Amino acid sequence: MFQKILIANRGEIALRVLRAAKELGIQTVAVHSTADADAMHVRLADESVCIGPPPSRDSYLNIHQIVAACEITGADAVHPGYGFLSENAKFADILAAHNITFIGPSGDHIRIMGDKIEAKRTAKRLGIPVVPGSEGAVSDEKEAKRIAAEIGYPVIIKASAGGGGRGMKVALTEADLEIALATARSEAGAAFGDDAVYIEKYLQKPRHIEVQIFGDGAGKGVHLGERDCSLQRRHQKVWEEANSPALNAEERSRIGDICANAVANLGYSGAGTIEFLYENGEFYFIEMNTRLQVEHTITEAITGIDLVHEQIRVASGGGLSVTQNDIRFHGHAIECRINAEDPRTFVPSPGTITHFHTPGGLGIRVDSGVYSGYRIPPYYDSLIGKLIVHGRNRVECMMRLRRALDEFVVDGIKTTLPLFRELVGNPDIANGDYDIHWLEKHLAKGE
Ligand code: ADP
């Protein structure tokens, strides 16, 4: 087991990882920018190192500073959290070259899944269902037209190097294809320095359903069920549920087994998420995230398994603590992402939190790094906390969520709490009847 883990992140996820390390009796090192000197993860860690000025590229993304912080403190492993360097293959390789363990998959696996064309090709080879479309990059308009005619309109053009929803364009008919192809290509070139694009069928009313997997790096793989993250705004998840209100037990174990076998065959090591669009009973792979996700907490709620413990165990060579047969699903869990943002316009609202009071009671978990008097710096993403609610079934979970939202107080800044109070009372949400466009349509109605 590791002696000392450096946590290359900030905010609630740094705290989340720190807690898991402490429970395992491992020393912790926090790193922070000058803007985060008084952050909770710095206060609670055994040691801390300042790694640079506020902008992420000079601190949380500064590989040299982070490696230096490992050397100074004698950390033998790094947990990257999510975001920042968590899916940076070069970072994983550099740590390996310094004999520091990256708590995550190999640089090569990160690289495969970071290239969408390569990821899709690999998924298909491993028996994962994919969206019908081009085999690889499309070279010209003629080829694009031929493929689109084959799969049928509407189609979507996507950037191979894509991320954050950029470089994607929909063509409803052949008349739109030329412009969609050209704009997707130029956006991709500008945003990622790589203008390779591919084409796939555009699904019109899908849900976003993702499967949590774990590989032990030695040919074993398990799945921990799915999460439904269909409630999104601008491709950003807002509210997540486990299990999905749309799946039955047979569909759950079918897609789960496909994913578990795929990661086993890949020789994948650590936590990962295989993301799908789901429509009319079919799953379509869109991407794989090779890291812990923000919404991992709802999987923890329904399985009782600490995913960060498992990540640390696997990375240290101790293997997984569970087999597929040990994994059972209990009840229902929902996560609300509380952002420091205007609940209607989503404009960030940094500033000082004058009063912070979190709900409590059975089935309630709040993961947050903020406190009364905390000043939210304007440099980073606006997630200030996650409310995770667990109940024996979805109805109980929703009742408890409504109560917890009533108790939650964040004064001094705007937050997305009012949006969740609205959603928890909405009949479509109560019925689990929503797709990936539901939230944006709801917001557009201005209800
Ligand atoms: P990114 O990495 O940029 O987030 P993804 O491939 O994960 O790109 O897709 C992001 C979102 O774009 C999906 O959650 C979905 O809303 C939409 N999308 C992607 N591919 C399709 C498709 N074939 N049909 C319909 N919507 C799609």
Side-chain angles (χ1 to χ4, degrees):
M1 193 42 92
F2 304 120
Q3 299 293 313
K4 200 184 263 190
I5 293 178
L6 181 142
I7 302 158
N9 217 303
R10 65 181 299 282
E12 68 85 20
I13 194 61
L15 215 53
R16 165 73 192 89
V17 173
L18 187 147
R19 287 172 173 148
K22 281 203 169 172
E23 286 170 9
L24 296 172
I26 301 168
Q27 294 282 303
T28 53
V29 180
V31 293
H32 65 90
S33 71
T34 50
D36 278 340
D38 56 358
M40 198 60 114
H41 74 280
V42 179
R43 294 185 185 191
L44 291 185
D46 296 304
E47 292 168 71
S48 66
V49 180
C50 179
I51 50 166
S56 304
R57 65 172 182 282
D58 300 325
S59 49
Y60 297 103
L61 292 172
N62 187 332
I63 294 178
H64 296 298
Q65 287 285 39
I66 292 170
V67 174
C70 290
E71 303 281 356
I72 293 165
T73 56
D76 49 358
V78 171
H79 195 299
Y82 52 70
F84 294 131
L85 296 169
S86 61
E87 290 179 290
N88 186 311
K90 196 173 113 196
F91 182 52
D93 291 345
I94 289 174
L95 288 178
H98 283 79
N99 281 324
I100 300 163
T101 305
F102 175 73
I103 302 177
S106 68
D108 287 342
H109 283 150
I110 298 175
R111 225 167 260 120
I112 292 173
M113 294 304 166
D115 173 332
K116 292 186 162 232
I117 290 178
E118 193 53 36
K120 197 171 169 184
R121 200 176 279 139
T122 306
K124 202 170 168 186
R125 178 170 62 75
L126 293 168
I128 297 174
V130 300
V131 192
S134 58
E135 280 298 322
V138 284
S139 49
D140 57 30
E141 203 189 315
K142 202 169 138 222
E143 190 191 356
K145 279 192 177 155
R146 183 179 55 75
I147 295 163
E150 247 168 60
I151 58 180
Y153 287 90
V155 298
I156 182 166
I157 320 280
K158 296 169 73 171
S160 183
R166 280 175 304 173
M168 272 192 274
K169 288 283 166 265
V170 178
L172 296 177
T173 65
E174 194 178 290
D176 306 329
L177 194 63
E178 187 182 350
I179 294 205
L181 190 65
T183 20
R185 203 185 279 294
S186 72
E187 256 183 40
F192 313 112
D194 172 2
D195 71 356
V197 294
Y198 61 107
I199 185 165
E200 60 187 27
K201 183 147 188 72
Y202 180 69
L203 303 167
Q204 308 204 36
K205 286 187 166 183
R207 298 179 80 108
H208 174 113
I209 294 182
E210 57 185 36
V211 178
Q212 175 70 52
I213 57 83
F214 249 98
D216 72 351
K220 282 207 199 89
V222 297
H223 75 86
L224 290 91
E226 84 286 2
R227 296 182 286 259
D228 194 318
C229 316
S230 301
L231 288 174
Q232 304 184 356
R233 180 184 164 272
R234 299 216 178 131
H235 305 308
Q236 300 294 313
K237 296 163 188 167
V238 170
W239 154 307
E240 300 103 346
E241 307 198 31
N243 294 317
S244 167
L247 293 197
N248 59 39
E250 184 277 320
E251 288 175 300
R252 174 164 308 119
S253 65
R254 174 166 58 91
I255 195 66
D257 289 344
I258 289 174
C259 293
N261 287 333
V263 294
N265 289 335
L266 197 60
Y268 186 84
S269 177
T273 299
I274 305 188
E275 296 194 337
F276 294 94
L277 294 176
Y278 170 84
E279 193 173 73
N280 300 327
E282 299 292 335
F283 291 91
Y284 303 96
F285 170 87
I286 44 172
E287 68 173 341
M288 176 167 178
N289 292 316
T290 51
R291 56 169 165 82
L292 191 70
Q293 304 218 192
V294 176
E295 62 274 20
H296 75 279
T297 54
I298 50 175
T299 300
E300 294 185 323
I302 63 162
T303 60
I305 297 169
D306 185 311
L307 299 193
V308 182
H309 281 186
E310 295 302 317
Q311 285 188 296
I312 296 172
R313 280 182 62 110
V314 169
S316 70
L320 287 164
S321 76
V322 287
T323 63
Q324 193 67 58
N325 276 336
D326 302 325
I327 300 167
R328 296 273 180 277
F329 305 111
H330 301 283
H332 193 87
I334 295 176
E335 176 182 272
C336 298
R337 297 191 187 197
I338 321 276
N339 287 352
E341 287 172 358
D342 182 291
R344 259 7 266 190
T345 62
F346 298 91
V347 172
S349 173
T352 301
I353 297 176
T354 52
H355 189 63
F356 188 72
H357 175 81
T358 56
L362 181 64
I364 307 289
R365 165 176 174 184
V366 177
D367 275 21
S368 171
V370 309
Y371 47 86
S372 291
Y374 177 76
R375 191 175 163 73
I376 302 166
Y379 310 102
Y380 312 108
D381 79 37
S382 52
L383 182 74
I384 56 162
K386 309 186 300 203
L387 169 62
I388 303 106
V389 177
H390 185 223
R392 284 175 301 174
N393 50 52
R394 191 167 186 269
V395 172
E396 187 176 85
C397 184
M398 292 281 279
M399 283 164 38
R400 192 165 279 158
L401 174 59
R402 187 193 293 259
R403 186 274 292 171
L405 286 165
D406 276 349
E407 278 180 37
F408 216 131
V409 180
V410 185
D411 286 341
I413 54 157
K414 289 183 185 169
T415 74
T416 45
L417 278 167
L419 173 67
F420 294 116
R421 294 188 183 116
E422 187 182 312
L423 292 179
V424 80
N426 183 286
D428 287 348
I429 304 296
N431 294 328
D433 184 13
Y434 53 82
D435 61 35
I436 60 169
H437 304 296
W438 189 93
L439 184 59
E440 291 201 344
K441 279 191 204 142
H442 172 80
L443 293 167
K445 275 190 271 177
E447 275 173 358

